[in-house]
Amino acid sequence: MLRWLIGGGREPQGLAEKSPLQTIGEEQTQNPYTELLVLKAHHDIVRFLVQLDEYRFASAGDDGIVVVWNAQTGEKLLELNGHTQKITAIITFPSLEVCEEKNQLILTASADRTVIVWDCDTGRQVQKVSCFQSTVKCLIVLQRLDIWLSGGNDLCVWNRKLDLLCKTSHLSDTGISALIEIPKNCVVAAVGKELIIFRLVTPTGESLEWDILEIKRLLDHQDNILSLVNVNDLSFVTGSHVGEMIIWNILDWTVQARECNFWDPSPQLDTQQEIKLCQKPNDISIHHFTWDEENVFAAVGRGLYVYNLQMKRVIACQKTAHDSSVLHIAKLPNRQLISCSEDGSVRIWELREKQQLAAEPVPTGFFNMWGFGRVNKQASQPVKKQQENAPPCSLELIGDLIGHSSSVEMFLYFEDHGLVTCSADHLIILWKNGERESGLRSLKLFQKLEENGDLHLAV
């Protein structure tokens, strides 16, 4: 079911009273998303979106249903029914280049303790695995080895035919919350406040058996790890419930950098002041990361922080980017950042370099003769120190997308088709570039008129 609405510009009620939250007026000249398309198919919280190709994506959530959509038109292409409880993880499993069959597969895990493999071109259920002892919370595909891993209370390795190749023993009742691949046939698993490095032993001439070995446990976090991502070929990064960010060397697993005072990037604050600034642990929980070549972008509590990898410091921040916790962020190519929150909003930010203030001129003439110049110079020193400690860049709000009535769980960015958001209000919204859509509609109209012979070009 589809309906068109006009989006952007409106300020949500209640936000005006909260002065720390940055707001934007009706005129959002830099916000391209002025049209929105509401997609209805789910009847519970929609938590996951996954891109299938240039024009398709799939959605999943607490109703156990997977829906495949056309990102260009908003058309519902397929509905996949097979799980009896909420979906806890979803990932694509592309076919190998050497394979003749080019069918796109989706893997879904559920609280019903099953994993289903779907053919998302036909909607066919390829296979179902029901031998799990606990809920699978995360999935990862190792494309190079043509295998996939499932993480719950243990770690299992599977091939494309869903044969169980090997597994670990019971790890923890809390289970694996996140998995990433790192070099040397290794994976990193986040288990509570620990990181566990596992190495996959692949079949050789001597042994045809697969195996998975625990290599090391990293115990540097003080609280549960909420986010774990690869940053580049050299590093991966983790974030915890109490606002600790650690950047790790991807080869020897040593700590490259650590940041624990996001809520106030000024280095001169002592620990006691830091604690006073944080009244609630949830205000500093790191829910999500994204990155580019130079920076790691962190969603910390209600705020957004830009951490420069070379300078090893926060270079920009927006402490109250949203009214509630930020759940998902993504970096766009043009120095823009998108964030969504439990408060139901989606916001677009631009990373800008701050204008450096000109140096204060030394007073001359009469006042300098009586020593006023020296006093002014001394008074300006704390200001100068403050300028040095201040972040050199800023995050400026350039767009506020108001359409959801409840928590926005995540989003997908399509370069050609706009932005897709999913929410606890059971809806998916496809945000469209109004200028682009208007141009496409005009082009279609002219093409139709030309086909019907109604368009006569003046000679």
Side-chain angles (χ1 to χ4, degrees), residues 36 82-83 91 93 102 119 124 136 142 145 156 224 252 258 317 331 361 394-395 402 414:
L36 59 87
H83 289 295
I91 196 168
F93 195 175
K102 294 296 179 185
D119 184 330
R124 183 175 61 91
V136 172
L142 306 190
L145 299 172
C156 301
N224 288 345
D252 62 13
R258 185 193 299 266
C317 68
K331 174 73 171 58
S394 64
L395 282 169
I402 307 299
F414 284 86

Side-chain angles (χ1 to χ4, degrees), residues 39 41-49 57-63 65 67 69 404 407-410 421-428:
L39 313 182
H42 293 278
H43 50 266
D44 210 331
I45 299 172
V46 189
R47 298 188 188 274
F48 303 103
L49 298 170
F57 68 94
S59 59
D62 288 7
D63 57 9
I65 301 168
V67 181
W69 305 89
H404 289 290
S407 172
V408 180
E409 300 295 310
M410 70 169 292
T421 56
C422 65
S423 170
D425 62 12
H426 310 177
L427 300 177
I428 294 163

Side-chain angles (χ1 to χ4, degrees), residues 114 128 177 184 192 213 240 264 288 294 299 321 362 372 393 419 453:
T114 65
K128 186 174 187 175
S177 58
K184 302 177 183 176
L213 306 174
S240 80
D264 195 275
H288 198 236
E294 301 172 2
V362 177
F372 288 108
C393 299
L419 191 69

Side-chain angles (χ1 to χ4, degrees), residues 214-233:
E214 182 181 319
I215 302 299
K216 192 168 185 177
R217 293 197 177 212
L218 308 174
L219 308 172
D220 295 71
H221 277 288
Q222 302 301 310
D223 207 338
N224 288 345
I225 296 164
L226 301 181
S227 41
L228 164 67
V229 295
N230 279 315
V231 175
N232 49 40
D233 294 337

Side-chain angles (χ1 to χ4, degrees), residues 304-363:
L304 298 172
Y305 294 79
V306 184
Y307 184 89
N308 186 272
L309 292 166
Q310 188 173 4
M311 296 167 66
K312 294 186 177 178
R313 61 169 290 203
V314 173
I315 61 164
C317 68
Q318 191 61 247
K319 295 179 187 178
T320 47
H322 289 265
D323 201 37
S324 300
S325 293
V326 181
L327 300 181
H328 193 83
I329 53 176
K331 174 73 171 58
L332 303 190
N334 48 358
R335 291 182 70 82
Q336 290 183 357
L337 187 72
I338 300 180
S339 58
C340 66
S341 164
E342 288 178 347
D343 65 12
S345 65
V346 182
R347 309 192 109 189
I348 309 171
W349 309 85
E350 187 174 79
L351 182 63
R352 297 175 185 167
E353 290 186 11
K354 286 181 181 175
Q355 296 296 320
Q356 296 297 322
L357 295 174
E360 244 181 58
V362 177

Side-chain angles (χ1 to χ4, degrees), residues 22 33 182 187 224 228 238 257 259 280 295 318 355 360 388:
Q22 187 175 347
Y33 302 112
I182 58 173
V187 294
N224 288 345
L228 164 67
T238 51
E259 181 66 53
K280 299 176 184 176
N295 306 303
Q318 191 61 247
Q355 296 296 320
E360 244 181 58
E388 287 172 6

